[in-house]
Amino acid sequence: MYLKRVELQGFKSFADKSVIEFEPGVTGIVGPNGCGKSNITDAIRWVLGEKSAKAMRGDTMTDVIFSGSEDRKPLNMAEVTLVFDNEDHYLDNDSNEVEITRRIYRDGGDAEYYINRQQCRLKDITDLVMDTGLGRDSLSIISQNSINAFVQSKPEERRGMFEEAAGVARYKQRKKESVAKLERTTTNLERVEDIVNELERQLNPLKRQKEKAETYLSLKDQLQEIEVSVLVKEIQKFTEELKTVDQELKKLDSDKVQNEAQMTLNEGKKEELEAKMYQLDQEVNDLQGKLLAAMNRVNDLEMQKVEIDANRKHILESTNKEDLEAKIANMKAMLQDALSEYNDRVERYNETKKEKEELDERTRQCDIASNNQRNKIENINISLHQLRATRAQIKDQLENKSGLSYGVRTILKAADTLAGIRGVVSDLIVPNEGYEKAVGVSLGGSAQFIVTVSERDAKNGINYLKRNKAGRATFLPLDVIKGRTIRSDLAMIATSSEGYLGVMSDFVTYDKDIEQIVLNLLGQIVVTDTLDHATRLSKNIHHRLKVVTLEGDVVNVGGSLTGGSLKNTNNTFTHKGELERIEKHIGEEENNLRNARMELARLGNEGREIHQMFLQKQVSFAKLEVVVTNKMNDLQVAKSEYEALTHQSANLEELEADPSDNKLLDELNEAKRERDALKEEIQYKRDMRMRYVNENDMLSSELRELRATQRVIEKGITDHRIAKTKYETDIQNALNRLNESYQMTYDHALEFLNEDVDLDQAKETVRSLRMRIASLGNVNLDAIQEYEDVSSRYETLNKNRIELREAQDALMKAISDMDQIMVERFSDTFEKINTEFNRVFRYLFGGGYAQLKYTDPDNILETGIDIEAQPPGKAAKLHSFSGGENALIALSCLFAMMSVRTVPLSILDEVEAALDPANVERFAKYLQEYSDKTQFIVVTHREGTMAQCDLLYGATMQQKGVTKLVSVKFEDATQMASA
């Protein structure tokens, strides 16, 4: 191995990049004082690991960086690279050429180290050159100053050079590291043993607590396995029973409504019938008075008629012929009376027939109207059924949150057991009237966001959903969410735009504590009246805000538009408004139904009255038929008698055209007509009253039955509502138990249902397990983990203790082995160097005696090295020697070390400066003698040394403060050295 070249840049006086090529053998570097040739020695020592700034002839390590000159500015970085030929792999590196680089920066003084251009540590470099003869403590790199330091240093300080020569520096470093490691190991062992002893004291109590906790958890697992199935089965059972109760309750409620409606209808009918009966009684009383008067008048007129008829019969029965004309006149009058009565009865007959037909038509029209009314009622009922179904669906969505996502519904159901759940956004804000669509569209999916008191509550909610695999939900923590508002410049533009109504957050009502949530969601949304105004406003503000219209059309940030029908959207706010409208419509339809039923009842009453009148007319019509027949017979008889008397046929048409002036008969006919009409009306009213009486009795009977039924229904409703409340409470208690005890939702608990569990037996098992759990008393569930942690820590530390003890023993053995190796190597090398030292000394001094001695022979590992030297004619006292003698002693030691152990490189900086020419020649000859095994780089002024160099470099400062190196011949070198 040898040094091939040194590359310097920015190091001390080497401002420019300089490359110095070296060859095996002796290379001399010459030059006048102050030209920077010793900086090459400093550079090599610096790269090989020198850490002392003082050794570098500076105050701080950054002093090695070129500090500038009159013509040159200071540099910020110094870098030196040593390139070694390593074909023999003398250095422990696989490369045939090894580059070692050290770089330092002025800013911060940071240093960088590289081996073969790969960044490394300083330690890597010192390890690489350790025990190679290139170490800091070796004599391979020495200067004039270190010559005297070597000879005059303390024996203990001198030892390091011999260790380097003996190749034990690596062992010494390893021993130092091993001793430090042993100290750390011993300290760690003591600490670990203290901890292990403490853990041993903790283990037994923790073990008992752990076993108790494990028993508790085992019982809890058994309890959970059984109780979850019990709770699920109970929930299923109660749910089925609740469904049955709900169905029965709905039927009872429907029956109650129908029963109440029927009672109300019957009571109304009864009151109406009683009023009509009272009215009929009053009318019959009045009519009876009129009938009595009419009958009296008929009687009076009939008596008058009887008298007239008797006179006529008397005249007819007279035998006087002179009375024939009177007889004919009376007979004609009688015939005319018979004809008049017959015509009167026929007229009444036809009138009655017409009235009967009219009543029949009215009955038919009333039936048609009743049928129409029934159809109307049926349509109203259909409409009510649809409206109620829609209402039930919307109520289900609003009350049971069926329109919300599964995760949101799960959280709301568990809100009683999860802390800090305020509710969903859609339940916490109320849009102003007319803004439901706009608010719903503005919120979109965020209407389902859940508001929580704190971020921790939100995290608990998310963990609850994860445990139960119950979907996802978005949470808005009140302590985290901050409101957002419109920038003042955009607000000013929006306010002045046509159609602008305001900011969406201004059109909702909410509690003060959620104001930041509302502002966050709605504080930056603008509201306009129409889409045209919305697009213009959005353009005015450069599409930086969302703009929403009252109809729910949207101009998004960026300018995209969203709109269309909202029919199928799930908007909670429109649902609320729709529910109000449906409720109002249902009320209107129910009122229409009542009115329709009342109208149907009125038509029914009217139909019955008309029918009764029709029946009465039929009776009158039948009677009149008999009367007309009788009057017809009377007319025929009168006609026959008239013709028999006159002996000529009677012309009834002429008689009818020339009626007699018989006011009495006309009055009598009119009186009879009035009497018969009054009788007919009284009979009709009496029949109607009787009908009303019968209906009233039937209604009274029905009302009694309805009231009795109502009491039964109301009792049934009360019982079913109590049962419903009980089942709902039982279900909620079971759900709460699942949630509180096992953090499960019902859906999640279904996964653990054991269908084969006998419910009664399982309940008994649950009670037994609960008693066993209660008997355990206080249980520390953390003891299981604590025991595992302590036990694991104990096992780990106990293992560490064993390993530390083994490591301690191994380190002590390693230290002992290294001590033995170092003693053997150091002693062997020392003896060899001592022998060579005396030989070299005698050669260099031309006689005398020199030897090396231990200061403490019994402690080879720490003993110092003393030098005894006696040049010819002098006593052996080192402090009395001259500088040249000290140099020869040091060089003797150096060459002795080289004789024992080959050093690949030796750098000598003016070490022979104090020698006389004869000793310089001896010194130079030694260099040549060892140059086949050792590469020498010599900084010198002496001709004798220069003469033995294979290669010479001259150091000059052509530019002040900047060193340049040039290859020179021997003659030029002597001139440069003497300059």
Side-chain angles (χ1 to χ4, degrees), residues 270-316:
K270 194 170 183 303
E271 291 176 359
E272 185 180 354
L273 288 174
E274 289 174 350
K276 287 184 176 181
M277 284 190 296
Y278 177 77
Q279 183 179 356
L280 287 173
D281 287 339
Q282 296 297 319
E283 290 175 356
V284 168
N285 287 335
D286 292 340
L287 289 172
Q288 283 178 338
K290 293 179 180 179
L291 177 60
L292 181 59
M295 290 177 68
N296 289 335
R297 184 163 179 261
V298 168
N299 290 334
D300 291 341
L301 291 171
E302 282 184 340
M303 289 179 66
Q304 293 178 34
K305 179 72 167 55
V306 169
E307 290 179 1
I308 292 172
D309 288 341
N311 289 331
R312 287 175 177 169
K313 285 182 180 183
H314 179 72
I315 292 172
L316 289 174

Side-chain angles (χ1 to χ4, degrees), residues 461-602:
I462 291 172
N463 291 332
Y464 181 82
L465 291 175
K466 287 181 178 179
R467 282 196 304 272
N468 288 282
K469 300 176 183 177
R472 298 168 65 85
T474 300
F475 296 84
L476 302 173
L478 288 170
D479 62 343
V480 173
I481 302 299
K482 301 300 179 186
R484 297 181 297 176
T485 55
I486 299 175
R487 280 172 25 195
S488 57
D489 56 334
L490 298 179
M492 186 177 299
I493 297 171
T495 304
S496 60
S497 298
E498 185 180 2
Y500 171 80
L501 298 177
V503 180
M504 188 62 72
S505 56
D506 295 335
F507 300 108
V508 292
T509 305
Y510 51 88
D511 291 339
K512 185 67 176 177
D513 64 330
I514 67 165
E515 181 176 15
Q516 295 301 312
I517 301 289
V518 175
L519 290 176
N520 182 273
L521 298 176
L522 302 175
Q524 289 186 325
I525 299 176
V526 177
V527 189
T528 63
D529 53 357
T530 66
L531 182 59
D532 290 338
H533 290 156
T535 54
R536 283 199 290 272
L537 190 154
S538 181
K539 184 177 181 180
N540 292 339
I541 59 176
H542 307 293
H543 308 296
R544 293 179 182 173
L545 298 173
K546 179 188 284 189
V547 185
V548 180
T549 70
L550 292 177
E551 289 300 315
D553 298 318
V554 182
V555 183
N556 299 291
V557 175
S560 62
L561 276 70
T562 303
S565 173
L566 290 171
K567 181 178 179 181
N568 296 323
T569 60
N570 184 16
N571 188 330
T572 301
F573 306 110
T574 56
H575 281 170
K576 290 178 180 178
E578 183 67 17
L579 182 61
E580 291 179 1
R581 287 190 290 273
I582 287 174
E583 292 284 8
K584 183 178 179 181
H585 195 182
I586 287 174
E588 292 173 352
E589 288 292 77
E590 287 177 343
N591 187 54
N592 292 337
L593 182 62
R594 283 191 297 271
N595 293 335
R597 284 175 175 169
M598 290 174 64
E599 178 64 15
L600 180 61
R602 186 192 67 78

Side-chain angles (χ1 to χ4, degrees), residues 770-803:
R770 287 195 176 280
M771 290 177 64
R772 291 177 63 187
I773 290 172
S775 67
L776 292 174
N778 293 328
V779 178
N780 179 15
L781 293 177
D782 294 333
I784 297 175
Q785 187 60 46
E786 288 175 6
Y787 177 80
E788 293 298 328
D789 293 343
V790 172
S791 178
S792 175
R793 192 179 177 203
Y794 171 78
E795 291 175 2
T796 301
L797 289 174
N798 192 43
K799 183 179 179 181
N800 290 344
R801 178 172 62 175
I802 295 171
E803 291 174 351

Side-chain angles (χ1 to χ4, degrees), residues 49 54 206 252 277 301 438 453 471 538 618 698 723 732 735 763 858 949 973:
K54 189 174 182 181
L206 275 176
L252 287 171
M277 284 190 296
L301 291 171
V453 175
S538 181
Q618 276 190 323
M698 289 175 62
Q732 191 59 48
L735 289 172
K763 286 182 179 179
D858 296 329
C949 290

Side-chain angles (χ1 to χ4, degrees), residues 231-292:
L231 291 171
V232 170
K233 283 204 163 190
E234 285 186 337
I235 290 171
Q236 290 175 338
K237 174 186 172 185
F238 295 146
T239 301
E240 288 301 319
E241 291 174 347
L242 182 60
K243 285 181 181 177
T244 302
V245 169
D246 269 334
Q247 291 173 355
E248 293 175 353
L249 189 56
K250 285 179 181 178
K251 185 177 183 306
L252 287 171
D253 284 334
S254 177
D255 291 344
K256 180 184 177 183
V257 171
Q258 292 179 4
N259 208 58
E260 285 177 343
Q262 191 61 45
M263 283 196 301
T264 302
L265 184 62
N266 286 2
E267 286 171 352
K269 287 181 178 180
K270 194 170 183 303
E271 291 176 359
E272 185 180 354
L273 288 174
E274 289 174 350
K276 287 184 176 181
M277 284 190 296
Y278 177 77
Q279 183 179 356
L280 287 173
D281 287 339
Q282 296 297 319
E283 290 175 356
V284 168
N285 287 335
D286 292 340
L287 289 172
Q288 283 178 338
K290 293 179 180 179
L291 177 60
L292 181 59

Side-chain angles (χ1 to χ4, degrees), residues 181-354:
K181 190 179 293 184
L182 179 62
E183 291 176 353
R184 292 195 300 271
T185 301
T186 302
T187 301
N188 290 338
L189 180 60
E190 292 173 353
R191 186 170 66 254
V192 166
E193 285 183 335
D194 289 341
I195 297 172
V196 167
N197 293 334
E198 176 60 29
L199 292 177
E200 284 177 342
R201 287 193 294 272
Q202 296 178 17
L203 275 176
N204 286 334
L206 275 176
K207 185 177 181 181
R208 289 192 296 272
Q209 293 181 33
K210 181 200 83 146
E211 291 172 349
K212 185 177 180 181
E214 287 176 340
T215 300
Y216 171 82
L217 290 178
S218 175
L219 293 174
K220 283 285 288 182
D221 288 341
Q222 296 177 46
L223 178 63
Q224 176 175 339
E225 183 179 354
I226 297 173
E227 190 173 23
V228 166
S229 293
V230 169
L231 291 171
V232 170
K233 283 204 163 190
E234 285 186 337
I235 290 171
Q236 290 175 338
K237 174 186 172 185
F238 295 146
T239 301
E240 288 301 319
E241 291 174 347
L242 182 60
K243 285 181 181 177
T244 302
V245 169
D246 269 334
Q247 291 173 355
E248 293 175 353
L249 189 56
K250 285 179 181 178
K251 185 177 183 306
L252 287 171
D253 284 334
S254 177
D255 291 344
K256 180 184 177 183
V257 171
Q258 292 179 4
N259 208 58
E260 285 177 343
Q262 191 61 45
M263 283 196 301
T264 302
L265 184 62
N266 286 2
E267 286 171 352
K269 287 181 178 180
K270 194 170 183 303
E271 291 176 359
E272 185 180 354
L273 288 174
E274 289 174 350
K276 287 184 176 181
M277 284 190 296
Y278 177 77
Q279 183 179 356
L280 287 173
D281 287 339
Q282 296 297 319
E283 290 175 356
V284 168
N285 287 335
D286 292 340
L287 289 172
Q288 283 178 338
K290 293 179 180 179
L291 177 60
L292 181 59
M295 290 177 68
N296 289 335
R297 184 163 179 261
V298 168
N299 290 334
D300 291 341
L301 291 171
E302 282 184 340
M303 289 179 66
Q304 293 178 34
K305 179 72 167 55
V306 169
E307 290 179 1
I308 292 172
D309 288 341
N311 289 331
R312 287 175 177 169
K313 285 182 180 183
H314 179 72
I315 292 172
L316 289 174
E317 291 175 355
S318 173
T319 58
N320 295 327
K321 292 183 178 180
E322 61 272 11
D323 294 329
L324 181 58
E325 290 181 2
K327 288 180 181 181
I328 292 171
N330 285 324
M331 181 56 72
K332 181 180 180 181
M334 290 176 67
L335 178 58
Q336 286 178 331
D337 287 346
L339 179 60
S340 177
E341 286 183 354
Y342 170 75
N343 289 335
D344 177 70
R345 301 305 183 269
V346 168
E347 181 181 355
R348 288 175 60 187
Y349 172 82
N350 291 331
E351 288 176 355
T352 302
K353 182 179 179 182
K354 183 179 179 181

Side-chain angles (χ1 to χ4, degrees), residues 733-753:
N733 288 340
L735 289 172
N736 290 341
R737 188 60 178 271
L738 280 174
N739 186 20
E740 292 170 1
S741 299
Y742 306 111
Q743 290 75 52
M744 287 186 183
T745 61
Y746 172 73
D747 294 333
H748 186 44
L750 277 173
E751 299 176 12
F752 302 91
L753 173 63

